[in-house]
Amino acid sequence: MITFDKLDKLDINSKPLHEIFQEYEDAHKRAKDPYIRDEALKRLEDMKESVSRATEACSFSFSGMSGLDSLKLKNIMDEKEGTDRVLFSSLIMKVIYYAIAILEENQRMGKIVACPTAGSCGIVPACILAVSEHFKIGVKKQVSALITAGGIGSMISNEVGLAGAVAGCQAECGVAASMAAGGVVCLLNGSNDEILSSAALALKNVLGLVCDPIAGLVEVPCVKRNGFLAVHAMVAAQMSLAGIKSVVPLNEVVEAMKEIGAEMNSRFKETSEGGLATTKTGIRIEEELKEKWTKLYSKDNL
Amino acid sequence: MKIKDVIGPTMVGPSSSHTAGAIRIGNIAYYIYGRQPSNMHFTLYNSFAKTGLGHGTDKALIGGCLGFLVDDIRIRDSYSEAKDRGIQVGFSFKTDRSRHPNSVDIEFQDGNSILTVSANSTGAGNIQVIKINDFNVDLRGDYYSLILFYKDQPGMIWKVTKFVQANGVNIESLICNRLEDTDDSMMCLCLAHSLDQKTLLSIKDIDNIFMARTVPALEK
């Protein structure tokens, strides 16, 4: 598996980052596994499929906490509500819209691509697909961007486990934003240094993010957070493309994330024993859901 | 994690541990039982019991036990899929600190035959089947596995493994269990590749083996 140490030993400017990642992954694959470019193409197609289903669907999640927010964004983008309420360019609007729509689809048990996790599955596809559509970028380049994003996630995962239970949300949505930023810079032909710098910028600015979902569900704050962090990734990519460098390199940011994750109280690591989960509203929703499900799953209803 | 694992799997949501993991547990149970039951009962423990319904863990387990894979959209409708097949489904919810946070017992019933499978969802879609009936096992879905139920007698391991060797397949792990006070035993072999049909038939024909099941390696 590719790591920061191994990348350090290679001549990083010899070829594009996605080629380095691709060669490394293929050289270490099991005989029966497909080549990473074929695998990434398949995942990209699954992502596109999930976006088209997500943007057509219109129903609440099982808990009723989410499901129709992407529709509200779509309405405002289609100017049904008038342009005086639109703050962003059509590209950024689409990034927010896709990210939230994919998470809503995940929440209603739709098919998604965990990237890196199910709870952060909206960020990478929203950024890569929206940017590709906006700049009319071909599939080949999109696959390279996805491999770039995957390589960044892979290097991070080999330092710290990508799970809210391990290091909080910084290790899920934070890493997804880092991956997405690198992917976008790759789409726009940024250099390897610019790609890694954008990934560092994105991750650096979500350090300490906790995982405190209401009622233990991948829903509040996860659905909207995917929208926020997809834009966060775009900001990092934009800064890097403008030539702004991260003062702290990616591997050191990951070290910091690991340290913070280890010190983070377990109440804020996917246990729903603190933070938003134990606010007055969080507890009320948890109790309401418990009551609803007890009724729904009583013997008579099964 | 490899790149291919970071940008995947493609799965039905919303949670890799509570949904994808539950489906994979169901898949292994489906292969172990090896036929359609008339009744499936699931006992969910701890976090599975507490937040499982909101993650569709119930639908994931049912669908998994019907043989649906992690990216099968029918998981969402697995209650009606079970009903259409005439399978009765039931659930219990328990707290037990001696069990893993995401843990389940699956009980299949058909007439008098009952099979119980206990498993944990250990995170990121990884799973571990820990018990089949009263026998301890360690199945993680990463290898093709052969599970044999038999009356113990001297030489059983040799009788089985010589066929595996003749087939040229490496044994990655082997667990044998015998229940106290009886000769009822179980052998669980995790193998590098699948066995050919002839080898399987030869193994099934060994005296004293009364049930043989194969579980394929599951995609993740």
Side-chain angles (χ1 to χ4, degrees), chain B residues 49 190 214:
Chain B
C190 291
T214 55

Side-chain angles (χ1 to χ4, degrees), chain B:
Chain B
M1 284 162 89
K2 289 183 172 188
I3 294 174
K4 76 176 181 69
D5 299 321
V6 174
I7 56 170
T10 301
M11 55 174 270
V12 295
S15 160
S16 48
S17 55
H18 285 64
T19 319
I23 295 168
R24 299 175 89 235
I25 287 172
N27 289 160
I28 293 193
Y30 162 83
Y31 283 109
I32 295 171
Y33 194 63
R35 59 202 157 95
Q36 184 173 309
S38 60
N39 215 311
M40 303 196 287
H41 191 90
F42 303 90
T43 307
L44 274 59
Y45 293 90
N46 306 331
S47 171
F48 255 19
K50 201 175 144 209
T51 70
L53 298 179
H55 284 127
T57 306
D58 51 337
K59 294 169 188 164
L61 286 165
I62 296 169
C65 287
L66 297 175
F68 301 166
L69 301 178
V70 288
D71 62 348
D72 193 327
I73 205 79
R74 288 177 297 174
I75 296 287
R76 207 158 31 179
D77 308 310
S78 53
Y79 275 101
S80 56
E81 294 278 350
K83 208 172 176 182
D84 291 348
R85 290 164 170 77
I87 304 171
Q88 280 218 309
V89 174
F91 281 90
S92 315
F93 305 94
K94 285 184 182 167
T95 304
D96 181 348
R97 282 177 191 279
S98 71
R99 298 287 299 256
H100 186 275
N102 295 325
S103 185
V104 60
D105 292 340
I106 303 175
E107 191 180 281
F108 291 111
Q109 200 182 351
D110 190 18
N112 290 327
S113 99
I114 292 178
L115 183 102
T116 313
V117 174
S118 302
N120 305 328
S121 177
T122 55
N126 295 309
I127 56 146
Q128 187 184 18
V129 174
I130 52 170
K131 239 174 179 187
I132 302 172
N133 287 340
D134 292 324
F135 300 109
N136 295 317
V137 289
D138 182 4
L139 284 172
R140 293 162 191 245
D142 46 358
Y143 288 110
Y144 170 94
S145 309
L146 175 65
I147 300 162
L148 305 168
F149 297 86
Y150 58 100
K151 287 277 179 201
D152 203 17
Q153 57 167 219
M156 279 305 286
I157 295 176
W158 173 75
K159 283 182 191 175
V160 173
T161 53
K162 72 171 181 183
F163 286 117
V164 178
Q165 188 229 354
N167 198 168
V169 175
N170 192 53
I171 298 171
E172 304 289 333
S173 75
L174 169 66
I175 294 181
C176 288
N177 271 243
R178 188 166 82 168
L179 298 185
E180 279 179 43
D181 306 327
T182 80
D183 296 331
D184 282 338
S185 302
M186 193 211 65
M187 196 186 304
C188 176
L189 301 96
C190 291
L191 304 171
H193 304 285
S194 54
L195 297 170
D196 61 36
Q197 207 59 34
K198 205 180 118 220
T199 308
L200 273 178
L201 287 174
S202 309
I203 292 173
K204 279 180 187 166
D205 273 351
I206 297 171
D207 279 348
N208 288 3
I209 289 182
F210 52 84
M211 194 164 97
R213 292 282 183 264
T214 55
V215 180
L218 299 176
E219 282 286 327
K220 224 193 96 184

Side-chain angles (χ1 to χ4, degrees), chain A residues 207-220:
Chain A
L207 290 181
L209 194 63
V210 299
C211 177
D212 53 354
I214 288 180
L217 304 178
V218 191
E219 197 158 8
V220 177

Side-chain angles (χ1 to χ4, degrees), chain A residues 241-255:
Chain A
L241 287 165
I244 298 174
K245 286 187 171 61
S246 173
V247 172
V248 183
L250 181 60
N251 60 330
E252 292 179 32
V253 176
V254 174
E255 283 300 315

Side-chain angles (χ1 to χ4, degrees), chain A residues 73-92:
Chain A
L73 287 167
K74 187 172 188 330
N75 285 342
I76 207 169
M77 286 159 74
D78 292 349
E79 296 183 20
K80 278 181 194 158
E81 312 269 340
T83 48
D84 56 342
R85 281 174 170 265
V86 178
L87 291 168
F88 296 124
S89 71
S90 61
L91 171 58
I92 296 295

